Amino acid sequence: MDLVQHALDPSNTAMMWNAMVSDSIKPFIIPVVGLLVGAAMMAAPATNTVGKLVLYFGAQSFMNIYMGWVMRTSVTVPAGTYIQQTNSTLETDLTGCPAGFALTAMQQVISFVVFMLFFTGAWFTPYRYTPKKLNSTFEVFCVIVFGCVFALNIALNNFSLGYISIAVNLIIRSCLPLSTFLSQQGLALFNLYPFKPCRPKEIILMVIGVACAAVFTLARIMGSASQGKGSSNMVLGVVVCVASLLCGSLNLALAGVLGETKLNVFDTVAYMAIPATLFLLPIAMFLQKPVPGEWPKVFGVSHMSDFEILQGVWALNNRTMAWLVLSGVFSFGYNIIQFSIVHTLSPSATAFGGNFNKAALIFLTLLLPFLRVHELPGPPYIQVIWGAVTVNIAAFSYYSYLQIRAKEDAGMQHEAQLLSEHDEDDEESTSHGPGDSGSSSSEDPGLWGALMGKFGLCAADYDSRAVAT
């Protein structure tokens, strides 16, 4: 009996948990469970839609946590290791691999290799895949522009993960609706984009959400400074994350200006991987940037390029390089899952899933110690952090709800208009009689045009999905 009580004691259970599960595995337990449960639920028709949302959460949280782990928290060189180059011993672990531009370029190359393996393997089977043909110079230009801006968005985001936590990164990226709205309105001033309607309630909600994100970030930086930890690198990470956010907004705005090429995930890899890699290579090879943590002590310099960091990591720990290569495979798989789910769910379900994933991961990061880069600061900063993140999530969730309602109302009005036009056509056909069937058929192109206009809503729905995810 004493043995059972000893085993069930919470403190002993926690010790057994820590002994059985390594710190490297703990962050991935929740995402992996989400992937497995989501896949199982998708197999049953009754829970198929919910299963897709659970799978979406598992895939999105796994990719966020994995990239944060690779860039920031994985142990590259353990503490106590003697570094011959600088004739010193590491006092703390050398963690991560802060080479965001090089890593993104590597992911593009690996995704292209994986695509070519799939393309070659399927060529001689009934499942042969042929990428969509680009029919004009304009489409080629669109693909190159989209590829470069998208790659810069991902590279800056990866860069920021080497300097800030996942929670700070996610709460900054939750401000995407306001930055996209401002980008679209700015382009509209030059007649490059139609003006978006300015609804006061939605704008107020976006401003509140962004203000709370700023308060959260400031409290995190000031809290780290109060604990005697350097905050300059965190400020750099925040600035780069904001730049990534602006690139994401520009990408969405350019989609409206240049037109949607409607490439699926395989077409995107086939056409954009090489231009994106060529665009990122000069930045990765020549841009000198400050390196965080113990990196200056290991290499004896405070600024390095991504290429120099990769060379150093290869010399110090080949296993870390393997994690970087594996991120390219995971990135390709994540894009396939995301593309499949987003294009089979309704816009409202996708918006809900994207917002829920962000909110859940932020809360999990604050609640679970093994997901944090650093310990949370004490009062009053921790109270400010919790208050800011709660109001931020509430504001953007309500904003998404209003967007979904507006889309549904617009869709209902459009359907009512189509039904009204169809009834008018029937009345004209009946009043003129059979002898005037030619006039009835002449109205058909207008009806089909209206129906095609209805399907034209899909592009707007796609934009709303991109903003919400």
Side-chain angles (χ1 to χ4, degrees):
M1 186 67 180
D2 292 339
L3 182 61
V4 174
Q5 291 178 345
H6 178 79
L8 295 178
D9 183 75
S11 60
N12 295 325
T13 303
M15 292 175 62
M16 291 176 61
W17 161 263
N18 290 329
M20 293 174 60
V21 182
S22 70
D23 291 337
S24 298
I25 295 176
K26 289 177 186 176
F28 301 101
I29 292 177
I30 295 175
V32 170
V33 169
L35 288 169
L36 295 177
V37 172
M41 294 177 70
M42 285 176 63
T47 57
N48 182 268
T49 300
V50 177
K52 289 177 181 178
L53 291 172
V54 175
L55 185 71
Y56 188 26
F57 166 75
Q60 197 170 49
S61 58
F62 178 87
M63 202 61 202
N64 276 310
I65 291 173
Y66 184 81
M67 293 309 302
W69 180 76
V70 168
M71 299 294 298
R72 180 72 169 169
T73 59
S74 63
V75 177
T76 303
V77 180
T81 302
Y82 174 74
I83 306 299
Q84 186 175 4
Q85 184 176 351
T86 58
N87 193 28
S88 61
T89 301
L90 285 179
E91 297 179 0
T92 58
D93 293 336
L94 178 70
T95 57
C97 179
F101 294 103
L103 176 59
T104 306
M106 185 186 300
Q107 288 176 341
Q108 296 295 318
V109 173
I110 293 170
S111 295
F112 185 76
V113 171
V114 173
F115 167 77
M116 289 305 298
L117 291 174
F118 160 77
F119 179 79
T120 305
W123 183 257
F124 299 102
T125 70
Y127 305 100
R128 175 188 297 186
Y129 177 78
T130 303
K132 177 185 176 182
K133 184 178 180 181
L134 301 179
N135 298 313
S136 67
T137 306
F138 180 74
E139 287 190 353
V140 174
F141 172 73
C142 289
V143 167
I144 294 175
V145 171
F146 290 163
C148 292
V149 175
F150 175 77
L152 188 59
N153 173 25
I154 301 301
L156 289 171
N157 187 60
N158 288 338
F159 181 107
S160 71
L161 287 172
Y163 297 82
I164 58 177
S165 66
I166 297 175
V168 176
N169 176 276
L170 287 175
I171 203 165
I172 292 174
R173 295 190 70 82
S174 71
C175 303
L176 183 64
L178 180 59
S179 60
T180 302
F181 176 79
L182 294 176
S183 298
Q184 291 170 341
Q185 298 300 81
L187 291 171
L189 293 175
F190 300 96
N191 297 320
L192 296 175
Y193 199 90
F195 277 102
K196 304 291 285 185
C198 296
R199 302 183 179 97
K201 185 184 291 187
E202 294 181 1
I203 294 175
I204 291 172
L205 287 171
M206 288 191 289
V207 171
I208 291 174
V210 171
C212 289
V215 170
F216 176 97
T217 305
L218 185 61
R220 201 70 181 86
I221 293 173
M222 294 176 66
S224 295
S226 69
Q227 293 175 329
K229 298 173 182 176
S231 58
S232 59
N233 284 334
M234 187 178 290
V235 172
L236 174 63
V238 168
V239 171
V240 173
C241 190
V242 171
S244 171
L245 178 70
L246 296 177
C247 282
S249 302
L250 180 61
N251 203 24
L252 291 174
L254 285 174
V257 174
L258 301 177
E260 197 176 335
T261 54
K262 296 182 179 179
L263 301 178
N264 63 30
V265 64
F266 298 107
D267 297 336
T268 300
V269 172
Y271 288 124
M272 295 185 184
I274 300 304
T277 302
L278 295 176
F279 173 73
L280 292 173
L281 275 181
I283 304 175
M285 295 183 67
F286 301 113
L287 178 65
Q288 297 286 320
K289 63 184 183 186
V291 287
E294 295 291 302
W295 288 87
K297 298 179 182 179
V298 173
F299 295 108
V301 293
S302 60
H303 289 69
M304 300 175 69
S305 68
D306 282 5
F307 184 69
E308 291 169 338
I309 292 174
L310 287 183
Q311 285 182 311
V313 170
W314 177 259
L316 292 171
N317 191 339
N318 293 340
R319 187 172 60 181
T320 298
M321 290 297 296
W323 298 131
L324 298 177
V325 173
L326 193 60
S327 73
V329 180
F330 287 153
S331 176
F332 183 75
Y334 168 70
N335 287 333
I336 292 176
I337 292 175
Q338 185 184 43
F339 180 87
S340 301
I341 291 176
V342 165
H343 285 75
T344 55
L345 289 175
S346 67
S348 58
T350 305
F352 168 79
N355 289 322
F356 174 82
N357 294 348
K358 279 197 185 83
L361 196 51
I362 291 173
F363 278 121
L364 288 173
T365 303
L366 294 176
L367 289 171
L368 302 177
F370 52 79
L371 288 177
R372 302 175 195 154
V373 176
H374 298 299
E375 287 299 317
L376 295 175
Y381 303 107
I382 186 60
Q383 287 84 354
V384 173
I385 286 172
W386 275 107
V389 72
T390 302
V391 177
N392 169 275
I393 291 172
F396 279 119
S397 297
Y398 188 41
Y399 165 80
S400 297
Y401 168 76
L402 293 178
Q403 288 279 294
I404 293 168
R405 286 291 303 272
K407 292 285 184 186
E408 291 177 349
D409 292 343
M412 292 175 63
Q413 291 178 3
H414 209 83
E415 289 179 3
Q417 182 181 357
L418 290 176
L419 290 174
S420 176
E421 293 177 359
H422 184 67
D423 291 341
E424 290 177 1
D425 292 340
D426 289 343
E427 290 176 2
E428 290 179 5
S429 176
T430 304
S431 62
H432 289 299
D436 291 329
S437 60
S439 62
S440 174
S441 64
S442 67
E443 295 295 326
D444 286 344
L447 177 61
W448 284 111
L451 289 171
M452 294 305 294
K454 177 184 177 184
F455 290 112
L457 292 173
C458 295
D461 291 341
Y462 181 81
D463 288 344
S464 69
R465 296 175 188 178
V467 172
T469 55

